[in-house]
Amino acid sequence: CLPVVPFTSIIGIFQTIAGPGARAALPEDVREPHRRSWTIFVDRGAAPLIRVRLPHSWRKSPVSRLVCLIAQREGLPAWDVHLASARGPLQAHRALLSCVLFRETLFLRRGPPSSDEVGIDDGARTTLWVFGRHVCGQVSPPVPQPGLTLHDVRSVALGAEHVLVVTRTGLALAWGGNSCGQLGTGDEKPRGWPTSLHLLGAVRCASAACGPRCSAVITLDERLWTWGEHQPASAPALLHTSWVNRHGATDCGLHAAQVAFGGAHMVLLTSGGAVWTWGYNESSCLGWPAAMVHASLRHGFQKPRCPVVLPQALCVAAGAAHSAALVDAGGGRGVPYLWGDNSCGQCGVGGGGCLPLPMPPPGFEAESVSLVRCVGGTSVLVCHSGRCYLLGGGARVEAASSSEEEGGISEGASSAGSEGEQEAGGEGGDGGGA
């Protein structure tokens, strides 16, 4: 099950071995766009390109069928050639729809692909199950997402009214609301069916992330592409070279490992453990020391300046107006740091207001935190012990962990920790579940 932090819906990914999923009637405006034919181009290493026009039914055919067709046309043995896209070699058993875009140019190469290029395929398949409100307003029970049955989903993210997924073949697909261009299709027309992002066809996507009305992917070469509200454009743009980063003025957007979206700010974790922030800073959610002195850094859209002063970070999160990071304290122990809006106590300290700089919340000196998530005005801390702490709003509620008490939840006052801190029992999992 992949970790997700939902806004208005919940999506689960389950690994299936065999057998078709449940079927359900689809709303009339949630259906697959129909094409009579499917056109692709093949570069054989010499001009001109081969134009291949396939029947629409071929979208479910394996890549090996297309390889045989092209090899026969060129007079080559099918076992001695393979096809590759800009994202890498195509695996012979994959369906064409799951790894080839409409009107994409493929490359005909001699010999079998190397194992390093293809990667390890364990044969397992992932299916995306969805439930909740459709774009048309109709509510549906849990069903496999239509339009993704041929795809092997690797990463999924949810916005306020849209969904973004990344498949194992490196494709990105999106559907839902599109009022701010958050689908990455280059327009503002909503989609009720998973739509491949052709503007990302030249890169191999590795993970997906969504804000309320914006989206991002991190590619295999650790570069960040963003689009939508508060982003460089309504179409996918490389953040590092965009106007947001002053066209490459800083290293923000490079070596990306994880990105989190708040209400109007962004937090980026690099593979080296550095944390970058940018966006609106009225609640000091960017964690910049200079913003405490210069008022101009607290108003209006702020571009990346420098990494946040933190030890090496392991993961990051962003709430509506606050931010969080889990840093490595050595010995396998993780320490959370929170900053920004604290009006609901989401930063773990009393008094409300804002925390301008990252600080660890009091009361966690004896705990080792394994995961940090933020949802709205709440922070979620999951510990290695299996306990889950919710920071933000209300009185402290303590419940026994599942390892200590099965089948029951006890509530009561606790003298430990600050007011507004809630502790929920259960085994450690992703922040979305908490």
Side-chain angles (χ1 to χ4, degrees):
C1 182
L2 300 181
V4 205
V5 179
F7 283 85
T8 59
S9 309
I10 299 178
I11 288 186
I13 293 187
F14 301 92
Q15 196 172 57
T16 58
I17 305 302
R23 296 180 178 270
L26 294 177
E28 293 183 359
D29 61 342
V30 182
R31 57 185 182 271
E32 180 182 9
H34 179 70
R35 291 191 180 100
R36 292 185 178 179
S37 62
W38 204 29
T39 302
I40 59 175
F41 299 91
V42 179
D43 185 350
R44 53 182 176 175
L49 298 178
I50 304 174
R51 180 177 179 177
V52 182
R53 195 170 184 178
L54 303 172
H56 182 67
S57 59
W58 270 59
R59 71 192 191 282
K60 297 182 180 181
S61 300
V63 172
S64 58
R65 185 180 180 185
L66 179 61
V67 172
C68 292
L69 177 67
I70 297 175
Q72 182 180 7
R73 182 188 185 280
E74 294 297 306
L76 299 172
W79 54 266
D80 194 37
V81 295
H82 71 276
L83 290 174
S85 68
R87 299 173 299 280
L90 307 183
Q91 294 178 323
H93 68 280
R94 297 280 183 189
L96 287 173
L97 182 64
S98 69
C99 53
V100 180
L101 298 174
F102 180 69
R103 298 188 68 85
E104 183 177 16
T105 299
L106 303 179
F107 303 92
L108 182 64
R109 296 177 179 173
R110 298 297 297 269
S114 65
S115 58
D116 294 336
E117 291 179 313
V118 175
I120 300 176
D121 189 355
D122 55 8
R125 195 180 117 214
T126 53
T127 301
L128 186 68
W129 289 71
V130 297
F131 42 97
R133 180 171 58 85
H134 286 283
V135 178
C136 63
Q138 180 176 333
V139 178
S140 71
V143 295
Q145 171 61 42
L148 290 182
T149 55
L150 299 178
H151 294 275
D152 191 1
V153 179
R154 176 178 180 178
S155 176
V156 59
L158 300 177
E161 294 181 340
H162 75 290
V163 186
L164 175 67
V165 299
V166 168
T167 68
R168 191 177 294 273
T169 59
L171 294 179
L173 300 94
W175 66 98
N178 198 24
S179 58
C180 298
Q182 60 264 41
L183 295 187
T185 54
D187 55 29
E188 296 183 356
K189 180 181 177 181
R191 306 292 199 281
W193 191 269
T195 303
S196 299
L197 303 188
H198 289 254
L199 298 176
L200 290 172
V203 297
R204 189 178 180 93
C205 302
S207 62
C210 286
R213 290 175 181 84
C214 56
S215 306
V217 295
I218 296 177
T219 59
L220 203 61
D221 58 356
E222 297 184 342
R223 293 177 180 268
L224 177 66
W225 294 70
T226 65
W227 59 93
E229 187 179 33
H230 306 311
Q231 305 307 313
S234 58
L238 190 61
L239 182 78
H240 175 67
T241 57
S242 70
W243 64 266
V244 170
N245 193 40
R246 297 184 292 275
H247 305 288
T250 72
D251 289 337
C252 184
L254 299 178
H255 312 294
Q258 180 194 358
V259 64
F261 293 97
H265 73 286
M266 285 62 69
V267 185
L268 173 67
L269 173 68
T270 69
S271 55
V275 177
W276 291 85
T277 56
W278 67 97
Y280 290 89
N281 196 30
E282 280 77 3
S283 300
S284 300
C285 53
L286 301 186
W288 295 348
M292 301 174 63
V293 180
H294 303 286
S296 60
L297 298 180
R298 298 192 300 271
H299 302 284
F301 187 87
Q302 302 297 325
K303 300 176 182 179
R305 293 172 54 87
C306 59
V308 179
V309 180
L310 279 170
Q312 184 178 17
L314 303 175
C315 70
V316 294
H322 74 290
S323 307
L326 180 66
V327 305
D328 185 6
R333 181 171 175 267
V335 176
Y337 279 73
L338 300 104
W339 65 96
D341 179 34
N342 190 45
S343 58
C344 298
Q346 58 264 50
C347 291
V349 297
C354 297
L355 289 184
L357 299 177
M359 292 180 57
F364 288 89
E365 292 78 7
E367 289 279 9
S368 176
V369 179
S370 60
L371 187 66
V372 175
R373 289 288 185 266
C374 297
V375 182
T378 304
S379 301
V380 184
L381 310 180
V382 180
C383 302
H384 284 100
S385 62
R387 290 182 177 273
C388 177
Y389 294 87
L390 309 181
L391 310 182
R396 179 183 174 94
V397 178
E398 182 176 1
S401 65
S402 60
S403 60
E404 298 173 348
E405 178 178 319
E406 297 183 3
I409 297 181
S410 60
E411 298 185 4
S414 174
S415 59
S418 61
E419 184 179 357
E421 187 177 292
Q422 302 177 9
E423 179 184 351
E427 296 183 1
D430 64 86

PDB file of all heavy atoms in Angstrom, residues 58-83:
ATOM      1  N   TRP A  58      -5.513  -2.350 -30.825  1.00  0.00           N
ATOM      2  CA  TRP A  58      -4.135  -2.726 -30.549  1.00  0.00           C
ATOM      3  C   TRP A  58      -3.624  -2.156 -29.227  1.00  0.00           C
ATOM      4  O   TRP A  58      -2.556  -2.544 -28.763  1.00  0.00           O
ATOM      5  CB  TRP A  58      -3.228  -2.258 -31.688  1.00  0.00           C
ATOM      6  CG  TRP A  58      -3.063  -3.272 -32.778  1.00  0.00           C
ATOM      7  CD1 TRP A  58      -4.059  -3.819 -33.531  1.00  0.00           C
ATOM      8  CD2 TRP A  58      -1.848  -3.844 -33.236  1.00  0.00           C
ATOM      9  NE1 TRP A  58      -3.551  -4.698 -34.447  1.00  0.00           N
ATOM     10  CE2 TRP A  58      -2.183  -4.740 -34.293  1.00  0.00           C
ATOM     11  CE3 TRP A  58      -0.516  -3.701 -32.888  1.00  0.00           C
ATOM     12  CZ2 TRP A  58      -1.225  -5.478 -34.969  1.00  0.00           C
ATOM     13  CZ3 TRP A  58       0.447  -4.434 -33.570  1.00  0.00           C
ATOM     14  CH2 TRP A  58       0.086  -5.316 -34.590  1.00  0.00           C
ATOM     15  N   ARG A  59      -4.336  -1.230 -28.621  1.00  0.00           N
ATOM     16  CA  ARG A  59      -3.850  -0.617 -27.382  1.00  0.00           C
ATOM     17  C   ARG A  59      -3.673  -1.648 -26.274  1.00  0.00           C
ATOM     18  O   ARG A  59      -2.885  -1.443 -25.351  1.00  0.00           O
ATOM     19  CB  ARG A  59      -4.801   0.497 -26.934  1.00  0.00           C
ATOM     20  CG  ARG A  59      -6.139   0.001 -26.399  1.00  0.00           C
ATOM     21  CD  ARG A  59      -7.133   1.148 -26.254  1.00  0.00           C
ATOM     22  NE  ARG A  59      -8.330   0.765 -25.520  1.00  0.00           N
ATOM     23  CZ  ARG A  59      -9.325   0.070 -26.016  1.00  0.00           C
ATOM     24  NH1 ARG A  59      -9.273  -0.351 -27.276  1.00  0.00           N
ATOM     25  NH2 ARG A  59     -10.378  -0.219 -25.284  1.00  0.00           N
ATOM     26  N   LYS A  60      -4.394  -2.771 -26.362  1.00  0.00           N
ATOM     27  CA  LYS A  60      -4.274  -3.822 -25.356  1.00  0.00           C
ATOM     28  C   LYS A  60      -3.276  -4.903 -25.751  1.00  0.00           C
ATOM     29  O   LYS A  60      -3.012  -5.813 -24.969  1.00  0.00           O
ATOM     30  CB  LYS A  60      -5.645  -4.462 -25.104  1.00  0.00           C
ATOM     31  CG  LYS A  60      -6.688  -3.507 -24.538  1.00  0.00           C
ATOM     32  CD  LYS A  60      -7.989  -4.227 -24.277  1.00  0.00           C
ATOM     33  CE  LYS A  60      -9.041  -3.280 -23.701  1.00  0.00           C
ATOM     34  NZ  LYS A  60     -10.324  -3.982 -23.426  1.00  0.00           N
ATOM     35  N   SER A  61      -2.709  -4.799 -26.939  1.00  0.00           N
ATOM     36  CA  SER A  61      -1.770  -5.807 -27.414  1.00  0.00           C
ATOM     37  C   SER A  61      -0.411  -5.628 -26.745  1.00  0.00           C
ATOM     38  O   SER A  61      -0.028  -4.519 -26.375  1.00  0.00           O
ATOM     39  CB  SER A  61      -1.606  -5.714 -28.933  1.00  0.00           C
ATOM     40  OG  SER A  61      -2.843  -5.922 -29.588  1.00  0.00           O
ATOM     41  N   PRO A  62       0.364  -6.708 -26.588  1.00  0.00           N
ATOM     42  CA  PRO A  62       1.697  -6.582 -25.999  1.00  0.00           C
ATOM     43  C   PRO A  62       2.662  -5.896 -26.962  1.00  0.00           C
ATOM     44  O   PRO A  62       2.463  -5.883 -28.184  1.00  0.00           O
ATOM     45  CB  PRO A  62       2.102  -8.032 -25.734  1.00  0.00           C
ATOM     46  CG  PRO A  62       1.311  -8.836 -26.716  1.00  0.00           C
ATOM     47  CD  PRO A  62       0.011  -8.105 -26.880  1.00  0.00           C
ATOM     48  N   VAL A  63       3.729  -5.352 -26.402  1.00  0.00           N
ATOM     49  CA  VAL A  63       4.746  -4.678 -27.210  1.00  0.00           C
ATOM     50  C   VAL A  63       5.373  -5.649 -28.201  1.00  0.00           C
ATOM     51  O   VAL A  63       5.752  -5.261 -29.314  1.00  0.00           O
ATOM     52  CB  VAL A  63       5.821  -4.065 -26.285  1.00  0.00           C
ATOM     53  CG1 VAL A  63       6.993  -3.522 -27.084  1.00  0.00           C
ATOM     54  CG2 VAL A  63       5.212  -2.971 -25.419  1.00  0.00           C
ATOM     55  N   SER A  64       5.474  -6.928 -27.832  1.00  0.00           N
ATOM     56  CA  SER A  64       6.093  -7.922 -28.716  1.00  0.00           C
ATOM     57  C   SER A  64       5.365  -8.026 -30.058  1.00  0.00           C
ATOM     58  O   SER A  64       5.989  -8.300 -31.085  1.00  0.00           O
ATOM     59  CB  SER A  64       6.112  -9.288 -28.025  1.00  0.00           C
ATOM     60  OG  SER A  64       4.793  -9.700 -27.662  1.00  0.00           O
ATOM     61  N   ARG A  65       4.073  -7.788 -30.064  1.00  0.00           N
ATOM     62  CA  ARG A  65       3.322  -7.851 -31.319  1.00  0.00           C
ATOM     63  C   ARG A  65       3.751  -6.720 -32.251  1.00  0.00           C
ATOM     64  O   ARG A  65       3.893  -6.932 -33.472  1.00  0.00           O
ATOM     65  CB  ARG A  65       1.824  -7.760 -31.029  1.00  0.00           C
ATOM     66  CG  ARG A  65       0.943  -7.939 -32.253  1.00  0.00           C
ATOM     67  CD  ARG A  65      -0.526  -7.846 -31.888  1.00  0.00           C
ATOM     68  NE  ARG A  65      -1.388  -8.021 -33.057  1.00  0.00           N
ATOM     69  CZ  ARG A  65      -2.706  -7.883 -33.036  1.00  0.00           C
ATOM     70  NH1 ARG A  65      -3.326  -7.566 -31.884  1.00  0.00           N
ATOM     71  NH2 ARG A  65      -3.419  -8.059 -34.139  1.00  0.00           N
ATOM     72  N   LEU A  66       3.967  -5.534 -31.696  1.00  0.00           N
ATOM     73  CA  LEU A  66       4.425  -4.408 -32.509  1.00  0.00           C
ATOM     74  C   LEU A  66       5.859  -4.640 -32.987  1.00  0.00           C
ATOM     75  O   LEU A  66       6.201  -4.296 -34.122  1.00  0.00           O
ATOM     76  CB  LEU A  66       4.334  -3.117 -31.701  1.00  0.00           C
ATOM     77  CG  LEU A  66       4.809  -1.839 -32.397  1.00  0.00           C
ATOM     78  CD1 LEU A  66       3.987  -1.569 -33.644  1.00  0.00           C
ATOM     79  CD2 LEU A  66       4.735  -0.648 -31.443  1.00  0.00           C
ATOM     80  N   VAL A  67       6.692  -5.229 -32.140  1.00  0.00           N
ATOM     81  CA  VAL A  67       8.066  -5.528 -32.529  1.00  0.00           C
ATOM     82  C   VAL A  67       8.083  -6.482 -33.725  1.00  0.00           C
ATOM     83  O   VAL A  67       8.843  -6.285 -34.690  1.00  0.00           O
ATOM     84  CB  VAL A  67       8.850  -6.131 -31.344  1.00  0.00           C
ATOM     85  CG1 VAL A  67      10.213  -6.626 -31.801  1.00  0.00           C
ATOM     86  CG2 VAL A  67       9.014  -5.093 -30.242  1.00  0.00           C
ATOM     87  N   CYS A  68       7.254  -7.507 -33.682  1.00  0.00           N
ATOM     88  CA  CYS A  68       7.178  -8.465 -34.797  1.00  0.00           C
ATOM     89  C   CYS A  68       6.723  -7.788 -36.073  1.00  0.00           C
ATOM     90  O   CYS A  68       7.242  -8.070 -37.175  1.00  0.00           O
ATOM     91  CB  CYS A  68       6.247  -9.619 -34.441  1.00  0.00           C
ATOM     92  SG  CYS A  68       6.858 -10.692 -33.129  1.00  0.00           S
ATOM     93  N   LEU A  69       5.765  -6.874 -35.970  1.00  0.00           N
ATOM     94  CA  LEU A  69       5.254  -6.172 -37.141  1.00  0.00           C
ATOM     95  C   LEU A  69       6.343  -5.328 -37.793  1.00  0.00           C
ATOM     96  O   LEU A  69       6.524  -5.353 -39.014  1.00  0.00           O
ATOM     97  CB  LEU A  69       4.065  -5.305 -36.741  1.00  0.00           C
ATOM     98  CG  LEU A  69       3.451  -4.446 -37.846  1.00  0.00           C
ATOM     99  CD1 LEU A  69       2.801  -5.336 -38.900  1.00  0.00           C
ATOM    100  CD2 LEU A  69       2.423  -3.473 -37.265  1.00  0.00           C
ATOM    101  N   ILE A  70       7.078  -4.582 -36.971  1.00  0.00           N
ATOM    102  CA  ILE A  70       8.123  -3.695 -37.510  1.00  0.00           C
ATOM    103  C   ILE A  70       9.304  -4.514 -38.016  1.00  0.00           C
ATOM    104  O   ILE A  70       9.888  -4.208 -39.065  1.00  0.00           O
ATOM    105  CB  ILE A  70       8.549  -2.688 -36.435  1.00  0.00           C
ATOM    106  CG1 ILE A  70       7.361  -1.799 -36.053  1.00  0.00           C
ATOM    107  CG2 ILE A  70       9.720  -1.843 -36.919  1.00  0.00           C
ATOM    108  CD1 ILE A  70       7.642  -0.862 -34.912  1.00  0.00           C
ATOM    109  N   ALA A  71       9.678  -5.563 -37.278  1.00  0.00           N
ATOM    110  CA  ALA A  71      10.801  -6.393 -37.723  1.00  0.00           C
ATOM    111  C   ALA A  71      10.501  -7.054 -39.053  1.00  0.00           C
ATOM    112  O   ALA A  71      11.374  -7.155 -39.933  1.00  0.00           O
ATOM    113  CB  ALA A  71      11.104  -7.441 -36.650  1.00  0.00           C
ATOM    114  N   GLN A  72       9.280  -7.509 -39.259  1.00  0.00           N
ATOM    115  CA  GLN A  72       8.895  -8.127 -40.527  1.00  0.00           C
ATOM    116  C   GLN A  72       8.979  -7.108 -41.664  1.00  0.00           C
ATOM    117  O   GLN A  72       9.424  -7.428 -42.771  1.00  0.00           O
ATOM    118  CB  GLN A  72       7.485  -8.699 -40.416  1.00  0.00           C
ATOM    119  CG  GLN A  72       7.008  -9.415 -41.666  1.00  0.00           C
ATOM    120  CD  GLN A  72       5.595  -9.973 -41.494  1.00  0.00           C
ATOM    121  OE1 GLN A  72       4.934  -9.715 -40.497  1.00  0.00           O
ATOM    122  NE2 GLN A  72       5.159 -10.749 -42.479  1.00  0.00           N
ATOM    123  N   ARG A  73       8.570  -5.875 -41.393  1.00  0.00           N
ATOM    124  CA  ARG A  73       8.623  -4.828 -42.422  1.00  0.00           C
ATOM    125  C   ARG A  73      10.058  -4.493 -42.807  1.00  0.00           C
ATOM    126  O   ARG A  73      10.359  -4.224 -43.969  1.00  0.00           O
ATOM    127  CB  ARG A  73       7.916  -3.568 -41.914  1.00  0.00           C
ATOM    128  CG  ARG A  73       7.872  -2.439 -42.926  1.00  0.00           C
ATOM    129  CD  ARG A  73       7.340  -1.165 -42.283  1.00  0.00           C
ATOM    130  NE  ARG A  73       7.172  -0.099 -43.261  1.00  0.00           N
ATOM    131  CZ  ARG A  73       8.157   0.664 -43.723  1.00  0.00           C
ATOM    132  NH1 ARG A  73       9.391   0.445 -43.327  1.00  0.00           N
ATOM    133  NH2 ARG A  73       7.910   1.624 -44.593  1.00  0.00           N
ATOM    134  N   GLU A  74      10.970  -4.540 -41.832  1.00  0.00           N
ATOM    135  CA  GLU A  74      12.363  -4.181 -42.085  1.00  0.00           C
ATOM    136  C   GLU A  74      13.215  -5.377 -42.474  1.00  0.00           C
ATOM    137  O   GLU A  74      14.416  -5.229 -42.740  1.00  0.00           O
ATOM    138  CB  GLU A  74      12.950  -3.533 -40.828  1.00  0.00           C
ATOM    139  CG  GLU A  74      12.321  -2.203 -40.468  1.00  0.00           C
ATOM    140  CD  GLU A  74      12.560  -1.158 -41.539  1.00  0.00           C
ATOM    141  OE1 GLU A  74      13.732  -0.934 -41.903  1.00  0.00           O
ATOM    142  OE2 GLU A  74      11.559  -0.588 -42.032  1.00  0.00           O
ATOM    143  N   GLY A  75      12.617  -6.578 -42.479  1.00  0.00           N
ATOM    144  CA  GLY A  75      13.366  -7.759 -42.836  1.00  0.00           C
ATOM    145  C   GLY A  75      14.374  -8.178 -41.785  1.00  0.00           C
ATOM    146  O   GLY A  75      15.449  -8.708 -42.116  1.00  0.00           O
ATOM    147  N   LEU A  76      14.057  -7.974 -40.522  1.00  0.00           N
ATOM    148  CA  LEU A  76      14.944  -8.307 -39.419  1.00  0.00           C
ATOM    149  C   LEU A  76      14.316  -9.393 -38.562  1.00  0.00           C
ATOM    150  O   LEU A  76      13.080  -9.496 -38.482  1.00  0.00           O
ATOM    151  CB  LEU A  76      15.211  -7.069 -38.548  1.00  0.00           C
ATOM    152  CG  LEU A  76      15.895  -5.880 -39.236  1.00  0.00           C
ATOM    153  CD1 LEU A  76      15.908  -4.673 -38.297  1.00  0.00           C
ATOM    154  CD2 LEU A  76      17.317  -6.244 -39.650  1.00  0.00           C
ATOM    155  N   PRO A  77      15.120 -10.225 -37.911  1.00  0.00           N
ATOM    156  CA  PRO A  77      14.547 -11.225 -36.996  1.00  0.00           C
ATOM    157  C   PRO A  77      13.984 -10.544 -35.762  1.00  0.00           C
ATOM    158  O   PRO A  77      14.632  -9.680 -35.158  1.00  0.00           O
ATOM    159  CB  PRO A  77      15.739 -12.117 -36.657  1.00  0.00           C
ATOM    160  CG  PRO A  77      16.954 -11.276 -36.898  1.00  0.00           C
ATOM    161  CD  PRO A  77      16.593 -10.353 -38.023  1.00  0.00           C
ATOM    162  N   ALA A  78      12.784 -10.913 -35.373  1.00  0.00           N
ATOM    163  CA  ALA A  78      12.122 -10.253 -34.248  1.00  0.00           C
ATOM    164  C   ALA A  78      12.865 -10.468 -32.933  1.00  0.00           C
ATOM    165  O   ALA A  78      12.809  -9.622 -32.038  1.00  0.00           O
ATOM    166  CB  ALA A  78      10.678 -10.754 -34.129  1.00  0.00           C
ATOM    167  N   TRP A  79      13.599 -11.595 -32.826  1.00  0.00           N
ATOM    168  CA  TRP A  79      14.293 -11.881 -31.575  1.00  0.00           C
ATOM    169  C   TRP A  79      15.557 -11.037 -31.408  1.00  0.00           C
ATOM    170  O   TRP A  79      16.148 -10.998 -30.327  1.00  0.00           O
ATOM    171  CB  TRP A  79      14.662 -13.362 -31.514  1.00  0.00           C
ATOM    172  CG  TRP A  79      15.440 -13.857 -32.707  1.00  0.00           C
ATOM    173  CD1 TRP A  79      14.925 -14.443 -33.823  1.00  0.00           C
ATOM    174  CD2 TRP A  79      16.857 -13.787 -32.895  1.00  0.00           C
ATOM    175  NE1 TRP A  79      15.930 -14.754 -34.713  1.00  0.00           N
ATOM    176  CE2 TRP A  79      17.131 -14.358 -34.164  1.00  0.00           C
ATOM    177  CE3 TRP A  79      17.917 -13.296 -32.138  1.00  0.00           C
ATOM    178  CZ2 TRP A  79      18.421 -14.442 -34.682  1.00  0.00           C
ATOM    179  CZ3 TRP A  79      19.208 -13.391 -32.642  1.00  0.00           C
ATOM    180  CH2 TRP A  79      19.458 -13.964 -33.899  1.00  0.00           C
ATOM    181  N   ASP A  80      15.979 -10.354 -32.482  1.00  0.00           N
ATOM    182  CA  ASP A  80      17.229  -9.588 -32.439  1.00  0.00           C
ATOM    183  C   ASP A  80      17.000  -8.081 -32.403  1.00  0.00           C
ATOM    184  O   ASP A  80      17.939  -7.309 -32.573  1.00  0.00           O
ATOM    185  CB  ASP A  80      18.092  -9.947 -33.651  1.00  0.00           C
ATOM    186  CG  ASP A  80      19.526  -9.456 -33.507  1.00  0.00           C
ATOM    187  OD1 ASP A  80      20.050  -9.501 -32.373  1.00  0.00           O
ATOM    188  OD2 ASP A  80      20.108  -9.007 -34.512  1.00  0.00           O
ATOM    189  N   VAL A  81      15.772  -7.635 -32.171  1.00  0.00           N
ATOM    190  CA  VAL A  81      15.485  -6.198 -32.095  1.00  0.00           C
ATOM    191  C   VAL A  81      14.569  -5.924 -30.912  1.00  0.00           C
ATOM    192  O   VAL A  81      13.880  -6.829 -30.414  1.00  0.00           O
ATOM    193  CB  VAL A  81      14.826  -5.679 -33.392  1.00  0.00           C
ATOM    194  CG1 VAL A  81      15.768  -5.792 -34.570  1.00  0.00           C
ATOM    195  CG2 VAL A  81      13.515  -6.409 -33.664  1.00  0.00           C
ATOM    196  N   HIS A  82      14.562  -4.694 -30.458  1.00  0.00           N
ATOM    197  CA  HIS A  82      13.617  -4.261 -29.428  1.00  0.00           C
ATOM    198  C   HIS A  82      13.307  -2.781 -29.637  1.00  0.00           C
ATOM    199  O   HIS A  82      14.036  -2.076 -30.349  1.00  0.00           O
ATOM    200  CB  HIS A  82      14.171  -4.506 -28.015  1.00  0.00           C
ATOM    201  CG  HIS A  82      15.303  -3.594 -27.644  1.00  0.00           C
ATOM    202  ND1 HIS A  82      16.613  -3.842 -27.997  1.00  0.00           N
ATOM    203  CD2 HIS A  82      15.326  -2.435 -26.939  1.00  0.00           C
ATOM    204  CE1 HIS A  82      17.400  -2.889 -27.533  1.00  0.00           C
ATOM    205  NE2 HIS A  82      16.644  -2.015 -26.883  1.00  0.00           N
ATOM    206  N   LEU A  83      12.219  -2.350 -29.043  1.00  0.00           N
ATOM    207  CA  LEU A  83      11.783  -0.960 -29.147  1.00  0.00           C
ATOM    208  C   LEU A  83      12.078  -0.220 -27.845  1.00  0.00           C
ATOM    209  O   LEU A  83      12.027  -0.798 -26.758  1.00  0.00           O
ATOM    210  CB  LEU A  83      10.286  -0.883 -29.447  1.00  0.00           C
ATOM    211  CG  LEU A  83       9.847  -1.335 -30.843  1.00  0.00           C
ATOM    212  CD1 LEU A  83       8.324  -1.344 -30.940  1.00  0.00           C
ATOM    213  CD2 LEU A  83      10.439  -0.423 -31.918  1.00  0.00           C
TER     214      LEU A  83
END
